[in-house]
Amino acid sequence: MAFKPANNIQDLQYFGEFGGVNPSISDSSTYTFLSAKTMFDTFEGNAEGCYLYSRHSSPSNLYLGEALAAMEGTETATVTASGMGAITPVLLQLCDAGDHIVSSRTIYGGTYAFLKNFAPRLGINTTFVNITKLDVIEAAITPKTKVLYCETVSNPLLEVADIKGLAQLAKKHQLKLVVDNTFSPLSISPFNLGADVVIHSLTKFINGSSDTVGGVVCGSQELIDDLRNVNCGAAMLLGSTMDSLRSASILKNLRTLHIRMMQHSQNAMYLAEKFESDGLKTVYPGLASHPSHDLFKAMMNKKYGFGGMLTIDVGTLDKANALMELMQEQNLGYLAVSLGFYKTLFSAPGSSTSSEIPEDEQEAMGLSNGLIRFSIGLDADIERTYNMMKICMKKLSIL
Ligand code: PLP
């Protein structure tokens, strides 16, 4: 049977302790034991169903983790306090001093900064590559390489990674393929395509209400156990723990993700087609002009579409800033970083979310100053939105 990520979430059944239709929220940082022996066993990870301390695990966090593992098709998952709080422990768990990572060069600025500036302090070095070129990636692999790292759809350039091709490379060279799927939840299921680890910033589409940060690592039981190990687990020891109240609210939002993704994708597709036919330089994986349109199509779970992210290039940063300010004034969205909100969010990545990337490297990867990244909202009437955006663009002589 075909993999059905939204059904996998829907089919889970959790009850609260009084028969509530939502699981009870665990409001405790620590847990009592009737016997000291069980406490010891729990500490050693040998007492199934018992909880010790909420940095280690809590019922609310386990519920959310299970739902996200079901969505991605992995054995299990662990939730974290932020997307970065998921990415950094995974890389530190998989790599020792002296190891090497091959990473896409077009990734979220924070991840880039971690790999470029922080990980080398711990003796972990990274080669950044064009993720759409499998031969270039293979050439960058050395005997010390442990991890291949990419985003399924990259932030902010919307390059698409060939997950199957990368998984074959990873297998051949005995590497772990770690994929950040933040931009394409439900649309693409990287684990199903061969990835070893799937990470999300829950802050974005999955939570969808821009009221919290959060993250998740979806993977094998072995990896998640390693991350949580009290002696040497990076998640456990670095302490990026999600709060139970937050995981309970993210779980509730997760249940409507499939409906929201369909609407985000439908609206983004509409605007991308219009912008492109107006002559704007538009990048959206759903457009036939996108260099990886066919690849995305071959990988996608069709009904969720090509996602809610698109970019246009209006030439200069001044024009980009003027357009974003005007669109905000017209209540067409917010000039804000992040993504996956009900309102459209727009920002100029070169001077915001990717500003960690030096200017010459931005230029080399095609990240121009006039680029505006849109996270398209859930607008009920996208035609009206488009018409109003067009008026803004005309006013600024962009169209
Ligand atoms: N991954 C991607 C693709 C992102 O866009 C972001 C944040 O913008 C992150 C990871 C980091 O997530 P968080 O801000 O939740 O730490």
Side-chain angles (χ1 to χ4, degrees):
M1 206 167 65
F3 182 65
K4 303 271 190 203
N7 285 9
N8 293 355
I9 298 168
Q10 175 97 37
D11 290 348
L12 291 168
Q13 193 181 46
Y14 302 128
F15 296 113
E17 62 190 313
F18 304 108
V21 294
N22 289 304
S24 308
I25 300 173
S26 46
D27 194 26
S28 296
S29 57
T30 190
Y31 302 81
T32 60
F33 291 85
L34 292 177
S35 90
K37 163 91 172 57
T38 318
M39 179 188 263
F40 177 76
D41 289 344
T42 307
F43 195 78
E44 294 286 296
N46 299 327
E48 184 77 10
C50 291
Y51 298 91
L52 178 79
Y53 183 62
S54 287
R55 176 155 50 79
H56 194 208
S57 70
S58 68
S60 296
N61 287 5
L62 290 186
Y63 286 133
L64 178 61
E66 263 182 46
L68 290 161
M71 179 181 90
E72 288 297 355
T74 57
E75 208 173 350
T76 189
T78 191
V79 296
T80 55
S82 69
M84 285 308 292
I87 293 164
T88 54
V90 166
L91 296 175
L92 295 176
Q93 197 69 42
L94 296 177
C95 296
D96 289 323
D99 287 343
H100 175 248
I101 295 171
V102 174
S103 168
S104 166
R105 63 184 181 175
T106 63
I107 48 174
Y108 166 60
T111 313
Y112 179 89
F114 174 75
L115 291 172
K116 174 106 178 169
N117 307 326
F118 197 98
R121 290 167 52 188
L122 307 172
I124 300 166
N125 289 300
T126 299
T127 302
F128 294 95
V129 293
N130 180 339
I131 202 67
T132 64
K133 303 243 182 301
L134 290 176
D135 53 337
V136 173
I137 297 163
E138 185 159 28
I141 296 170
T142 75
K144 295 189 165 168
T145 310
K146 288 282 160 60
V147 167
L148 262 184
Y149 184 87
C150 69
E151 293 171 2
T152 317
V153 177
S154 78
N155 183 0
L157 293 177
L158 311 183
E159 285 179 348
V160 178
D162 174 358
I163 306 292
K164 272 191 185 163
L166 291 168
Q168 277 165 8
L169 273 187
K171 213 175 210 156
K172 181 171 161 193
H173 295 275
Q174 293 176 317
L175 316 176
K176 294 286 182 206
L177 175 59
V178 179
V179 178
D180 179 338
N181 199 31
T182 299
F183 274 31
S184 45
L186 295 179
S187 292
I188 293 180
S189 304
F191 179 77
N192 245 21
L193 299 167
D196 296 291
V197 185
V198 183
I199 293 175
H200 285 275
S201 163
L202 302 177
T203 316
K204 314 292 163 35
F205 289 104
I206 289 180
N207 184 51
S209 51
S210 292
D211 58 359
T212 186
V213 287
V216 69
V217 181
C218 303
S220 65
Q221 189 70 52
E222 189 186 356
L223 173 72
I224 303 303
D225 285 349
D226 284 352
L227 282 167
R228 288 192 189 137
N229 187 294
V230 290
N231 294 307
C232 54
M236 181 69 178
L237 298 175
L238 296 174
S240 171
T241 308
M242 178 175 281
D243 183 76
S244 290
L245 286 170
R246 281 306 189 188
S247 56
S249 77
I250 297 171
L251 178 65
K252 285 176 268 189
N253 290 346
L254 175 65
R255 296 167 180 159
T256 57
L257 179 66
H258 57 302
I259 301 168
R260 290 186 280 113
M261 284 318 298
M262 287 189 253
Q263 186 76 10
H264 283 300
S265 291
Q266 200 178 307
N267 285 352
M269 189 76 203
Y270 180 91
L271 289 178
E273 281 177 340
K274 290 286 185 192
F275 290 160
E276 186 170 62
S277 69
D278 287 338
L280 284 170
K281 213 166 138 191
T282 310
V283 175
Y284 181 63
L287 294 175
S289 60
H290 189 290
S292 300
H293 174 66
D294 290 336
L295 172 64
F296 195 115
K297 254 168 82 177
M299 295 195 292
M300 76 194 291
N301 300 310
K302 259 203 183 70
K303 68 186 195 194
Y304 307 108
F306 293 88
M309 304 302 295
L310 67 85
T311 67
I312 58 170
D313 192 338
V314 296
T316 65
L317 181 60
D318 285 347
K319 273 194 175 168
N321 287 343
L323 178 60
M324 292 190 293
E325 285 168 14
L326 187 56
M327 287 191 298
Q328 177 161 258
E329 220 175 275
Q330 298 298 314
N331 199 14
L332 291 168
Y334 296 140
L335 202 182
V337 298
S338 203
L339 40 135
F341 199 35
Y342 82 105
K343 281 266 194 190
T344 292
L345 302 178
F346 29 79
S347 57
S351 54
S352 59
T353 48
S354 298
S355 58
E356 295 92 338
I357 302 172
E359 265 177 41
D360 54 331
E361 287 175 41
Q362 289 192 23
E363 209 176 297
M365 65 175 73
L367 207 174
S368 60
N369 266 337
L371 195 81
I372 303 179
R373 185 189 78 178
F374 286 78
S375 161
I376 305 301
L378 299 171
D379 309 34
D381 185 351
I382 196 66
E383 192 180 347
R384 182 186 69 147
T385 304
Y386 165 67
N387 288 330
M388 290 170 73
M389 284 180 173
K390 200 167 169 177
I391 291 170
C392 296
M393 289 178 190
K394 282 196 164 151
K395 198 165 173 185
L396 298 169
S397 308
I398 289 167
L399 280 184

